[in-house]
Amino acid sequence: MKNNKIERAAIYYRYSSEKDAQVENSQRRQEDMLKNYCINKKWTVEWRGGDKATSGDKDKPMLMELKRAVEDKQILVDVIVVASWDRITRRHILDFQEDVKWIAQAGIKLCLQQEDRIFDLTNNEDAINLSIKVYEANRYLKSLSSNVRSGMEARFRRGELGYGRPPFGYDKDEKGMLVPNEDLPLVKEIFDTFLSSSVIACVPVMRKARRYQESGKAPSSTAVKTVLRNTIYIGLRTFGVAGTGRHGTIRGNETSGSRNVNRIEQSALPVLDVRDEVPPVVDDDVFNK
């Protein structure tokens, strides 16, 4: 099918965060660009949708909804329009076919709006070119992740690394360092309650925190475990226990989380004593118990 034979389009966008700025700048920007692109091409948009807060190497519910609609012949489209190929997939070179195979089988083309380029995935040359793009992007992500890790490690060793998400009982100042808030006294109460009872008994204690009072929601037992395992409450800071995500981890392999592991033993770098800047909330023996 030649470019001038395309008449019906589906537009798909994806963004990887639920932050307001990301929604505004990515979802609306992508959707508007794709709609305008189709208007300029004189293509009728038969379907449009996107996946919110979805990483490129994970399953994408709205994309799968489009797949089902196409396979069930609920809609007929000649082309799927995306801003760039990585909106469709960022899977490994051996796995990315999971995201695009159905497009080729349906005889639908893939249009990359930013390149103003159309791929016919039933054409070997086009399929190889897309594979090369996937390989190059994955190599870039690995390199980027490695560089980020190196920079974080150096800052951690120097004691200059800020905090991403502040632990329960703390906020962050303008320099990214921890400052206690009104919920910090609850930390000691959580530890004492756990030692005298159980994790479940700690949930009502933690629920007294500002964030839960304002939201009306109850904390989970997982949230309690996260507090009980966090060495910051004895003035020690660990690094790389939970890794940095699916594209690469601090310790070189994916880790499932940090709430049920010994952070001191699992720290990727020597533990830092930060008691001068973050005074202990509980005694060492209480924490170790």
Side-chain angles (χ1 to χ4, degrees):
M1 185 184 299
K2 295 181 181 180
N3 187 8
N4 58 11
K5 294 287 184 69
I6 292 175
E7 298 178 351
R8 299 159 299 188
I11 62 176
Y12 172 78
Y13 50 87
R14 178 186 60 77
Y15 55 101
S16 55
S17 172
E18 288 185 337
K19 294 180 180 178
D20 291 343
Q22 180 81 347
V23 173
E24 178 72 25
N25 295 332
S26 188
Q27 176 194 349
R28 295 182 183 177
R29 176 178 55 80
Q30 285 186 56
E31 188 174 4
D32 288 345
M33 284 193 310
L34 297 177
K35 283 195 299 184
N36 291 334
Y37 183 84
C38 291
I39 289 172
N40 290 335
K41 292 286 187 181
K42 295 182 171 54
W43 297 342
T44 301
V45 177
E46 300 288 348
W47 184 96
R48 65 185 180 192
D51 282 306
K52 303 176 182 179
T54 304
S55 178
D57 55 0
K58 295 182 179 179
D59 293 334
K60 306 164 192 67
M62 285 300 294
L63 185 61
M64 291 302 97
E65 182 177 309
L66 172 59
K67 176 178 180 288
R68 287 190 293 272
V70 167
E71 292 176 343
D72 293 343
K73 301 194 184 312
Q74 295 175 359
I75 61 169
L76 295 174
V77 295
D78 306 310
V79 65
I80 297 173
V81 186
V82 293
S84 57
W85 75 267
D86 59 335
R87 298 299 90 188
I88 284 281
T89 185
R90 267 187 179 161
R91 294 185 191 269
H92 186 273
I93 183 68
L94 299 178
D95 301 323
F96 88 99
Q97 285 289 343
E98 294 178 27
D99 287 331
V100 300
K101 183 178 179 181
W102 67 273
I103 299 174
Q105 291 176 335
I108 298 172
K109 292 179 171 54
L110 180 63
C111 176
L112 309 187
Q113 172 261 326
Q114 292 179 0
E115 298 182 24
D116 191 22
R117 182 174 179 183
I118 296 173
F119 286 85
D120 180 353
L121 300 181
T122 63
N123 178 283
N124 287 337
E125 183 177 350
D126 279 4
I128 290 172
N129 285 334
L130 186 61
S131 298
I132 291 172
K133 283 181 173 291
V134 172
Y135 169 76
E136 290 177 342
N138 281 325
R139 185 173 61 176
Y140 166 76
L141 284 172
K142 289 182 183 295
S143 175
L144 178 63
S145 179
S146 177
N147 292 338
V148 169
R149 291 200 305 271
S150 296
M152 290 172 65
E153 288 178 13
R155 293 181 63 197
F156 182 84
R157 292 180 190 275
R158 295 195 302 266
E160 299 173 356
L161 184 65
Y163 294 82
R165 179 181 297 177
F168 178 81
Y170 291 97
D171 295 319
K172 289 195 299 182
D173 62 18
E174 64 277 1
K175 296 180 180 179
M177 306 310 289
L178 299 184
V179 291
N181 61 33
E182 66 267 34
D183 296 330
L184 188 60
L186 294 174
V187 171
K188 187 176 187 307
E189 191 175 347
I190 288 171
F191 275 88
D192 291 341
T193 301
F194 171 73
L195 290 178
S196 64
S197 184
S198 65
V199 168
I200 297 301
C202 297
V203 171
V205 176
M206 196 170 182
R207 190 172 188 172
K208 291 187 283 186
R210 177 185 59 189
R211 73 175 74 172
Y212 298 112
Q213 291 295 308
E214 291 177 350
S215 68
K217 297 179 180 179
S220 64
S221 59
T222 296
V224 172
K225 291 178 183 178
T226 300
V227 170
L228 293 170
R229 294 286 185 176
N230 198 333
T231 60
I232 200 66
Y233 299 119
I234 54 172
L236 300 180
R237 190 174 185 193
T238 59
F239 182 79
V241 176
T244 58
R246 296 170 64 86
H247 297 305
T249 63
I250 295 295
R251 293 182 299 165
N253 60 325
E254 289 186 18
T255 51
S256 59
S258 61
R259 62 183 177 270
N260 292 317
V261 300
N262 186 319
R263 287 193 169 199
I264 294 176
E265 291 182 357
Q266 295 294 317
S267 182
L269 296 176
V271 176
L272 285 186
D273 185 334
V274 294
R275 284 175 287 189
D276 286 344
E277 60 187 55
V278 187
V281 180
V282 298
D283 294 333
D284 287 9
D285 61 335
V286 171
F287 181 84
N288 291 330
K289 287 178 184 178

